[in-house]
């Protein structure tokens, strides 16, 4: 390819794209708003699936390195009722196709696989405009600009690149996570650690209210309390007062087993609010010369275990399409989008069809298929 690729966003999708392009000898520059790779925590565990995320890892030539960061035993899964009773308990027998890794370690693995200088940190995009003939100008908050013949928006839910291609704007789904963490849980929080078990735990009752937790590395329990509440309800909680916020969230689980509510009230970190947004099911756009989107910028859906996997597969497939058509950007982008649109729509449709109040047996059956 005669011109380098400009990627906005150094998440898993953008970095996978840069890595696959590098393997094929195509130069890419990734512009990331964060000032450094360690500027913020990178979230918890991810299960990387053998039918999408691992295909991307293979395309990136990083399977050996990937296996080195897999957390053994974490595919174990437990489903509890609100009283702490065990409804499902499936051990990790090593045959599952969804190994768990820490998001931060996976991101660092991808960063380490790129030539020095590929990622430009502290490059917050303030605007993007079309110049014609497939060329675009990207303006940064510091006043700098770049002009590119190929622009890829890998910049997440609130993408600055998306408006070039689509008028779609993320909408609140009606549910949010509140995240908490317990450190050294086996020693300091033994009842909660026993409830979570060796991998993932989901405590639930009919309706969209549940407590989920992952056993991460170092004995950390990372908890996601999910509530179906309007954004105004969360806005009335003072999250700058961690203890008060944790107490208020735990009140929504009044009557649940203490080893479950302790995952919230005993948190060693300030509760972190993560509202869920989504783009329209089947979101797509007409071909725009010289630009495309990957990951959440293209197909944002509520958290269901597929987002990171889809983003990585998007990046890998786009990179391979560009390598296959190095002198024909538009053919490559068309090939990528024609595969990506139906794949992401199918995942979004499945999520949208999930009933608001599924029967408990149906929920258990769902989790049984996930392990």
């Amino acid at each position: 390819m005669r011109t380098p690729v400009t990627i906005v966003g150094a998440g898993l999708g953008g970095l996978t794209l840069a890595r696959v392009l590098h393997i094929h000898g195509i130069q890419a520059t990734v512009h990331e708003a964060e000032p450094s790779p360690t500027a913020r925590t990178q979230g918890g565990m991810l299960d990387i699936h053998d039918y999408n995320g691992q295909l991307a890892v293979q395309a990136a030539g990083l399977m050996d390195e990937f296996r080195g960061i897999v957390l053994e035993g974490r595919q174990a899964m437990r489903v509890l009722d609100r009283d702490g009773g065990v409804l499902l308990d499936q051990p990790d027998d090593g045959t599952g196709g969804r190994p768990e890794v820490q998001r931060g370690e996976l991101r660092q693995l991808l960063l380490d696989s790129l030539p020095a200088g590929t990622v430009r940190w502290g490059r917050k995009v303030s605007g993007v405009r079309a110049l014609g003939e497939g060329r675009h100008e990207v303006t940064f908050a510091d006043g700098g600009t770049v002009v590119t013949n190929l622009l890829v928006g890998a910049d997440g839910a609130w993408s600055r690149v998306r408006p070039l291609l689509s008028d779609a704007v993320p909408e609140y789904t009606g549910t949010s996570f509140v995240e908490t963490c317990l450190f050294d849980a086996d020693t300091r929080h033994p009842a909660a650690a026993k409830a979570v078990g060796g991998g993932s735990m989901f405590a639930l009752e009919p309706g969209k209210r549940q407590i989920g937790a992952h056993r991460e590395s170092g004995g950390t329990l990372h908890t996601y309390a999910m509530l179906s509440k309007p954004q105004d309800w969360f806005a009335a909680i003072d999250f700058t007062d961690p203890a008060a916020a944790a107490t208020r969230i735990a009140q929504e689980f009044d009557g649940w087993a203490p080893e479950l509510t302790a995952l919230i009230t005993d948190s060693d970190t300030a509760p972190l609010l993560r509202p869920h947004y989504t783009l329209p099911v089947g979101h797509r756009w007409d071909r725009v010369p010289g630009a495309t989107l990957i990951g959440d910028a293209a197909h944002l859906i509520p958290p269901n275990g597929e987002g990171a996997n889809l983003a990585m597969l998007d990046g890998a497939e786009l990179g391979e399409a560009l390598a296959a058509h190095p002198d024909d950007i538009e053919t490559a982008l068309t090939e990528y989008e024609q595969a990506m649109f139906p794949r992401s729509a199918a995942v979004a449709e499945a999520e949208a069809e999930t009933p608001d109040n599924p029967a408990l047996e149906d929920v258990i059956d769902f989790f049984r298929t996930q392990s």
Side-chain angles (χ1 to χ4, degrees), residues 45 71-78 89-90 92 100 186 193-201 213-216 221:
M45 290 202 309
L71 294 171
E72 297 298 332
R74 298 313 198 278
Q75 288 185 80
M77 182 178 294
R78 313 185 84 205
D89 193 354
Q90 298 197 157
D92 182 355
E100 299 272 2
D186 295 298
K194 182 179 178 181
V196 172
S200 298
M201 181 280 293
H214 290 149
R215 178 178 287 271
E216 298 183 352
L221 302 181

Side-chain angles (χ1 to χ4, degrees), residues 50-327:
D50 53 11
Y51 54 86
N52 48 24
Q54 290 184 48
L55 300 180
V57 175
Q58 289 171 355
L62 296 170
M63 278 305 293
D64 287 344
E65 293 85 347
F66 172 78
R67 292 188 186 100
I69 65 170
V70 167
L71 294 171
E72 297 298 332
R74 298 313 198 278
Q75 288 185 80
M77 182 178 294
R78 313 185 84 205
V79 179
L80 310 181
D81 61 24
R82 56 179 284 167
D83 298 320
V86 178
L87 304 175
L88 177 70
D89 193 354
Q90 298 197 157
D92 182 355
D93 63 4
T95 64
R98 309 162 75 94
E100 299 272 2
V101 299
Q102 297 281 156
R103 179 187 286 268
E105 292 186 6
L106 181 56
R107 189 195 197 202
Q108 191 60 50
L109 186 159
L110 288 164
L111 285 169
D112 291 344
S113 75
L114 296 172
T118 298
V119 180
R120 310 285 174 84
W121 301 98
R123 299 280 273 176
K124 181 178 176 61
V125 174
S126 58
V128 180
R129 67 186 182 106
L131 302 177
E133 299 181 343
R135 298 165 68 245
H136 293 89
E137 180 186 70
V138 182
T139 302
F140 301 97
D142 62 5
T145 62
V146 296
V147 174
T148 182
N149 288 349
L150 177 49
L151 176 63
V152 180
D155 48 344
W158 306 102
S159 171
R160 291 302 188 104
V161 179
R162 188 191 298 122
L164 283 174
L165 301 102
S166 167
D167 294 330
V169 177
E171 294 185 355
Y172 180 57
T173 65
T175 63
S176 295
F177 281 156
V178 176
E179 293 186 29
T180 56
C181 286
L182 304 186
F183 300 137
D184 192 18
D186 295 298
T187 300
R188 300 179 58 238
H189 309 281
K194 182 179 178 181
V196 172
S200 298
M201 181 280 293
F202 301 90
L204 44 89
E205 63 179 3
K208 289 207 167 181
R209 175 171 58 165
Q210 68 179 44
I211 297 174
H214 290 149
R215 178 178 287 271
E216 298 183 352
S217 58
T220 295
L221 302 181
H222 193 155
T223 299
Y224 306 82
M226 188 180 81
L227 293 172
S228 229
K229 298 284 187 182
Q231 289 180 289
D232 288 349
W233 186 88
F234 290 103
I237 298 174
D238 182 7
F239 280 91
T240 65
D241 184 341
T247 298
R248 181 65 190 91
I249 296 301
Q251 285 175 3
E252 296 302 304
F253 299 91
D254 186 44
W256 288 45
E259 63 268 27
L260 297 177
T261 55
L263 291 164
I264 304 169
T265 57
D266 292 355
S267 179
D268 294 312
T269 59
L272 179 62
L273 176 64
R274 290 198 186 276
H276 301 159
Y277 294 89
T278 187
L279 287 168
V281 173
H283 176 237
R284 62 173 60 213
W285 53 87
D286 295 330
R287 174 91 294 286
V288 172
T292 194
L293 306 171
I294 66 174
D296 285 352
H299 43 71
L300 178 68
I301 58 174
N304 68 349
E306 295 290 353
N309 286 276
L310 289 177
M312 293 175 67
L313 187 57
D314 287 351
E317 289 196 349
L318 176 56
E320 291 182 328
L322 290 166
H325 306 282
D327 298 314

